[in-house]
Amino acid sequence: MARGKLKASKWARHSDLDYVEELVLYSTSQAGQPGPELANTRPILADAMDLESLNTLDVIISCQGGNYTQEIHAPLRDMGWQGYWLDAASTLRMDNSSTIVLDPLNQSRIKQNLVKGQRDFIGGNCTVSLMLMALHGLFKANLVEWITAMTYQAISGGGAQQMRELLIQMGEIHEQASPLLRSRESSILDIDSRIDEYLNSGALTTSTIGHPLANNLLPWIDIDLNNGTGREEWKGYAETNKILGREDNPVPIESTCVRVGTFRCHSQAFTIALSQDVGIDELAEIMGQANRWVKVIPNNRQDTLQSLTPAAVSGSMDIAVGRIRKTDFNSKMMTVFTVGDQLLWGAAEPLRRMLRILSERHEFEDD
Ligand code: HSE
């Protein structure tokens, strides 16, 4: 977790730290230990539970998750802290006093709310941010009547420990299959039943993810809202409409959210009802020109398998968008597949960009 004092003066645009006067790195578990060596940064990690200390600076960026926000945010505000709180947790996202930040889509709303004096700016759910980046052009052109989303979410959405456990599960499964794999006499059915038995035996390490994910998928993400829907699916509707400022005229969005055994990219398949019958080439152009991160992948087998995959997109800022088609049964319905890095646009990037907007606030507040 980091927080900093912003320089009110102009800043060079080389790095995000250029406009931070002082950066203090906090930890909930390693306070007192040496931190990374960064410019303008105190060498020792501070205690993230120390409200007096947190009360002194301009901006807090928390990467700790919702429990930390729950524990710290309200007491800090009660002490009179007037700084900007930035996090990517769901705790404050739907509060009226917070803005969900995804500035390629809602920069004017962010700036309006800053001018109004709002101080909580929260990154959206990763799946929502990646969907909106991908479908930006369709929303801009007012083409979306409703959406269904089928998601294929990487384990990075569950955090670092779950990423480790997925690899452990893969290793354990391989260990089980390994003697049979090496034997020329073994049949694939023997291998299959050995793995199947092992997955269902309870012996696989599942202490963090809770279930086998390697060689499996999990069609439920986040808590059960007890109405047939998971909270991840509800977020797809609620957060999207808040980001778009369409709370009074919401776009209907239905999702089925699925955890798959990929490492760090979330993929999604959409069926979209369009408000107009727009040609396929025009749709691709509208989507591709919406922002500089969308990369339209031609809808053929070779380009798709080469460029529209988690392996191709992982670690990049690209939002790959492909399989753009009209349905045979209704020319006002289209399908799209997208892949984006959930740790970048899905988590860190909207906050990094919000810090930059904060550093520029004197420019637009004077307008
Ligand atoms: N809820 C997301 C997931 C994490 O589990 O994939 C990012 O918001």
Side-chain angles (χ1 to χ4, degrees):
M1 184 181 40
R3 62 163 197 188
K5 263 194 195 236
L6 289 182
K7 284 182 192 166
S9 56
K10 294 275 179 191
W11 48 88
R13 299 196 177 223
H14 299 134
S15 115
D16 297 314
L17 293 183
D18 286 344
Y19 48 75
V20 173
E21 193 175 287
E22 184 188 16
L23 179 73
V24 187
L25 295 172
Y26 285 83
S27 171
T28 49
S29 56
Q30 295 171 50
Q33 295 180 28
E37 285 176 27
L38 298 169
N40 304 334
T41 306
R42 293 186 197 163
I44 301 297
L45 295 174
D47 178 4
M49 307 312 290
D50 181 352
L51 289 175
E52 293 294 338
S53 165
L54 293 169
N55 193 18
T56 59
L57 294 189
D58 299 333
V59 184
I60 294 175
I61 305 180
S62 166
C63 311
Q64 278 293 108
N67 290 343
Y68 180 78
T69 301
Q70 189 94 44
E71 202 167 333
I72 294 295
H73 177 268
L76 201 54
R77 290 289 186 218
D78 289 346
M79 287 171 79
W81 181 64
Q82 295 285 314
Y84 295 101
W85 177 277
L86 273 52
D87 75 15
S90 61
T91 317
L92 303 172
R93 267 189 214 138
M94 296 306 292
D95 286 4
N96 285 336
S97 57
S98 77
T99 304
I100 305 180
V101 293
L102 189 63
D103 70 277
L105 278 97
N106 71 348
Q107 185 170 143
S108 57
R109 199 172 162 83
I110 292 170
K111 289 184 172 173
Q112 271 166 18
N113 289 343
L114 266 174
V115 171
K116 277 192 213 155
Q118 263 196 14
R119 291 180 176 266
D120 297 334
F121 291 87
I122 313 298
N125 168 266
C126 48
T127 317
V128 171
S129 298
L130 292 169
M131 169 176 74
L132 284 174
M133 289 297 291
L135 304 184
H136 188 180
L138 299 180
F139 282 110
K140 254 207 245 188
N142 209 14
L143 280 170
V144 179
E145 293 242 302
W146 54 254
I147 302 175
T148 68
M150 304 294 146
T151 75
Y152 309 80
Q153 296 182 222
I155 195 60
S156 56
Q161 296 312 318
Q162 295 200 16
M163 293 172 83
R164 285 173 179 273
E165 189 168 279
L166 174 62
L167 289 175
I168 291 169
Q169 289 187 356
M170 288 173 168
E172 289 177 355
I173 290 169
H174 183 263
E175 249 171 58
Q176 291 297 311
S178 184
L180 291 172
L181 265 181
R182 280 199 300 268
S183 150
R184 282 172 166 261
E185 274 77 55
S186 68
S187 80
I188 196 66
L189 288 177
D190 293 337
I191 295 175
D192 174 57
S193 55
R194 170 77 65 93
I195 291 175
D196 201 33
E197 230 170 73
Y198 183 64
L199 280 182
N200 288 297
S201 70
L204 188 78
T205 301
T206 57
S207 51
T208 309
I209 299 173
H211 303 272
L213 179 61
N215 203 44
N216 200 15
L217 58 79
L218 301 171
W220 199 288
I221 297 180
D222 208 337
I223 60 171
D224 189 339
L225 296 181
N226 296 317
N227 59 1
T229 313
R231 195 159 70 126
E232 187 82 353
E233 292 155 356
W234 168 80
K235 286 173 187 170
Y237 167 81
E239 291 188 20
T240 298
N241 283 298
K242 180 168 176 176
I243 292 170
L244 295 173
R246 292 193 51 164
E247 294 96 328
D248 297 337
N249 174 29
V251 186
I253 301 173
E254 281 295 338
S255 309
T256 300
C257 292
V258 182
R259 181 77 71 213
V260 295
T262 51
F263 215 50
R264 63 178 278 180
C265 278
H266 283 7
S267 310
Q268 304 182 64
F270 305 112
T271 300
I272 303 167
L274 299 169
S275 55
Q276 290 170 47
D277 186 356
V278 178
I280 202 76
D281 292 341
E282 198 183 338
L283 284 171
E285 198 176 313
I286 287 171
M287 297 182 82
Q289 290 182 354
N291 61 59
R292 66 189 171 89
W293 299 278
V294 167
K295 299 281 176 291
V296 173
I297 310 300
N299 186 25
N300 62 61
R301 186 172 192 273
Q302 190 180 342
D303 286 309
T304 298
L305 297 182
Q306 192 169 315
S307 307
L308 191 61
T309 63
V313 171
S314 187
S316 89
M317 298 296 293
D318 291 353
I319 303 286
V321 174
R323 305 309 322 272
I324 298 174
R325 288 179 295 164
K326 291 290 199 72
T327 62
D328 284 339
F329 52 87
N330 184 337
S331 63
K332 282 173 73 180
M333 280 200 202
M334 69 181 296
T335 61
V336 181
F337 190 88
T338 181
V339 186
D341 190 316
Q342 96 79 23
L343 294 179
L344 296 177
W345 270 115
E349 185 62 10
L351 297 187
R352 189 188 73 79
R353 294 170 63 86
M354 185 60 211
L355 189 62
R356 181 155 294 204
I357 292 171
L358 281 179
S359 71
E360 292 167 352
R361 71 196 187 285
H362 300 288
E363 291 174 12
F364 60 82
E365 279 177 354
D366 292 343
D367 287 349

